[in-house]
Amino acid sequence: MKILHTVEFYEPSHGGMQEVVKQISERLIQKGHSVTVATSTHPARMFSTLNGVTIKEFDISGNLVNGYRGDTSAYQQFLLNSDFDVIVNFAAQQWATDLMLPLLPRIKAKKVSVPTGFSGLQSPRYHRYFEDMKTWMQQYDVNVFHSTTYQDILFARENGIANIAVIPNASSREEFEEVHDIDIKKILSIPKNHFLVILVGSHDGRKGHAEAIEIFRRAQIKNATLVITGSVFSQRCYWACKCKEFLFRFNNGSKSLIVTSLPRPQIVELYKAADLFMFPTTWECSPLVLFEAMAAKTPFLVTDAGNSPEIIEWTHGGLLLPTQKDKNGFSHPEIQSSAELLQKVANDTNMRTEMQESGYRAWRDRFTWENIAEQYEHLYLTLCGSLGIP
């Protein structure tokens, strides 16, 4: 098959959506298919192919609601003149999907939407966008969701969208089974006897960094270190973390806080060395970091964001932090009760072992990218008539 995946950002840009598209694309290449990724230009991208995937760049930004910048007509002509068998739009509310929406009836390829959450669903500014989305979703051959319970698939069901499939997210078997000669505790100067709590997420103010610090500060645990690591620094998140780090140095003799950015191999080893992954995030669709924690045999605590409750139900690899949601649907941990839960889990080795073993088994059997890529391939082949309808 000739496949086009469209996504706002791609390698060397890093993030959850980039990882999903990269993993699926490269594994479909390994299965003998031709895959092109249409994405934004990137100043550090000095290649037009990566691991067999062809990358087609467009100097465009924005979305339908906020407006576009760049040569949008070039992208739309590329879509209309292409000879792909399948075109897949990953994530709504960004230019690579939104510019295709008015073209859907004119595109001959099989068309797949992977909305990844509909983050603007509760925003008044996006009211007309989601009114029109009811029609656009009918014009796709199939709409793929990462969850059976999150707001994007509920929106589809409530509006009579029948062309639905569910394919969850995952993490990489190769990455987490690879052995690195890295002593991450030594690199970060963490005492060997410290209980290690980690948070992996971009420093963009939305991943619950400040909340994690406060939860950790209040928890009655000793000889413990919290490590927060991720790329993309925003001033608001960074300085909040740095100010609280300063307070930690003087007020918590048996606790340590490290706020940093690490290369990917060290992040993987950090997952493996951790006793607990804590993720009081504000908004998610289906967080990859939970699958990564399970791949590393690390139990997790997470806010009720995205389909985190469903991932817990699927895997029993973690627990929900007590959570409140605001009028816009964003999640906020209840700090004191979350601190008490952290304290309880830190002091219960048997509970952590049960979550660790259950989560790892579920990940190994169901949530590797190898497994997920096969599901996408099966879907594409079915659409193209190469398989019988399941």
Side-chain angles (χ1 to χ4, degrees):
M1 288 181 294
K2 294 183 66 176
I3 302 162
L4 174 66
H5 290 157
T6 79
V7 65
E8 185 175 17
F9 304 115
Y10 195 69
E11 287 280 338
S13 172
H14 297 289
M17 200 70 260
Q18 297 93 309
E19 180 70 8
V20 171
V21 178
K22 180 176 184 291
Q23 289 286 347
I24 297 168
S25 299
E26 292 183 1
R27 292 173 191 277
L28 290 173
I29 288 287
Q30 294 168 9
K31 292 175 176 290
H33 304 291
S34 170
V35 182
T36 298
V37 170
T39 190
S40 304
T41 56
H42 192 289
R45 186 183 293 126
M46 303 300 175
F47 46 83
S48 58
T49 61
L50 180 65
N51 298 327
V53 177
T54 300
I55 300 172
K56 179 68 174 176
E57 293 185 316
F58 294 90
D59 189 11
I60 304 173
S61 61
N63 67 15
L64 182 59
V65 173
N66 297 323
Y68 303 107
R69 292 184 180 180
D71 190 356
T72 58
S73 62
Y75 176 64
Q76 291 184 315
Q77 287 303 310
F78 168 76
L79 295 172
L80 290 171
N81 297 331
S82 68
D83 61 349
F84 296 103
D85 299 305
V86 181
I87 298 178
V88 189
N89 298 139
F90 284 90
Q93 301 171 220
Q94 50 85 18
W95 70 264
T97 292
D98 289 359
L99 284 169
M100 181 161 146
L101 296 174
L103 307 180
L104 288 170
R106 300 168 58 190
I107 291 176
K108 298 178 181 179
K110 297 298 181 180
K111 299 172 285 291
V112 179
S113 168
V114 188
T116 69
F118 287 159
S119 62
L121 188 59
Q122 310 302 325
S123 170
R125 295 184 64 248
Y126 281 84
H127 176 76
R128 177 58 187 271
Y129 181 89
F130 285 106
E131 282 298 306
D132 292 339
M133 183 60 70
K134 300 172 187 177
T135 299
W136 293 326
M137 294 179 82
Q138 297 282 9
Q139 294 172 344
Y140 281 100
D141 293 281
V142 67
N143 298 272
V144 176
F145 301 91
H146 297 319
S147 164
T148 63
T149 60
Y150 194 48
Q151 65 180 17
D152 50 359
I153 196 169
L154 296 181
F155 173 88
R157 289 172 180 154
E158 290 166 1
N159 290 286
I161 308 301
N163 48 338
I164 287 174
V166 176
I167 303 178
N169 275 332
S171 59
S172 170
R173 182 189 299 273
E174 296 88 344
E175 185 175 41
F176 282 87
E177 291 184 349
E178 184 177 356
V179 177
H180 297 103
D181 186 19
I182 298 173
D183 186 342
I184 193 64
K185 281 193 169 182
K186 183 177 181 180
I187 290 172
L188 296 177
S189 299
I190 300 171
K192 290 185 178 181
N193 69 330
H194 266 214
F195 185 83
L196 178 56
V197 183
I198 70 168
L199 191 166
V200 177
S202 295
H203 300 279
D204 61 8
R206 298 178 298 175
K207 299 299 183 180
H209 293 186
E211 292 83 353
I213 292 169
E214 185 61 17
I215 291 168
F216 183 70
R217 186 187 71 81
R218 292 195 193 185
Q220 298 299 308
I221 54 177
K222 295 181 178 180
N223 300 321
T225 296
L226 170 63
V227 177
I228 298 176
T229 184
S231 59
V232 187
F233 279 86
S234 76
Q235 291 298 315
R236 186 176 79 84
C237 182
Y238 178 73
W239 288 114
C241 288
K242 293 303 287 184
C243 289
K244 293 193 176 185
E245 179 183 10
F246 177 84
L247 294 176
F248 253 95
R249 288 180 178 178
F250 290 90
N251 295 334
N252 294 279
S254 67
K255 288 183 180 178
S256 299
L257 171 68
I258 299 170
V259 180
T260 187
S261 287
L262 297 172
R264 184 62 183 178
Q266 291 187 11
I267 290 176
V268 172
E269 294 308 307
L270 185 67
Y271 271 115
K272 294 177 182 178
D275 297 291
L276 187 67
F277 182 84
M278 182 165 62
F279 196 50
T281 181
T282 300
W283 184 89
E284 299 290 326
C285 173
S286 184
L288 297 183
V289 290
L290 301 187
F291 297 100
E292 292 178 344
M294 289 185 287
K297 301 183 181 179
T298 300
F300 60 83
L301 301 179
V302 62
T303 40
D304 182 358
N307 76 324
S308 295
E310 186 175 35
I311 294 173
I312 292 172
E313 181 180 345
W314 287 339
T315 67
H316 303 288
L319 297 172
L320 277 182
L321 292 165
T323 305
Q324 293 184 343
K325 294 195 176 184
D326 63 27
K327 63 181 181 180
N328 295 315
F330 293 110
S331 299
H332 306 279
E334 298 175 3
I335 300 298
Q336 183 57 40
S337 51
S338 292
E340 292 168 2
L341 179 60
L342 170 58
Q343 179 180 328
K344 177 181 178 180
V345 173
N347 291 327
D348 193 332
T349 303
N350 291 334
M351 179 191 298
R352 295 200 313 275
T353 299
E354 289 176 5
M355 291 191 293
Q356 167 190 315
E357 293 177 351
S358 179
Y360 178 76
R361 283 195 304 269
W363 166 79
R364 180 194 61 200
D365 295 342
R366 298 174 58 191
F367 301 109
T368 65
W369 283 123
E370 180 180 25
N371 182 297
I372 298 307
E374 288 180 356
Q375 294 181 48
Y376 277 95
E377 181 189 39
H378 187 275
L379 174 66
Y380 298 173
L381 288 171
T382 299
L383 290 175
C384 292
S386 299
L387 291 173
I389 301 298

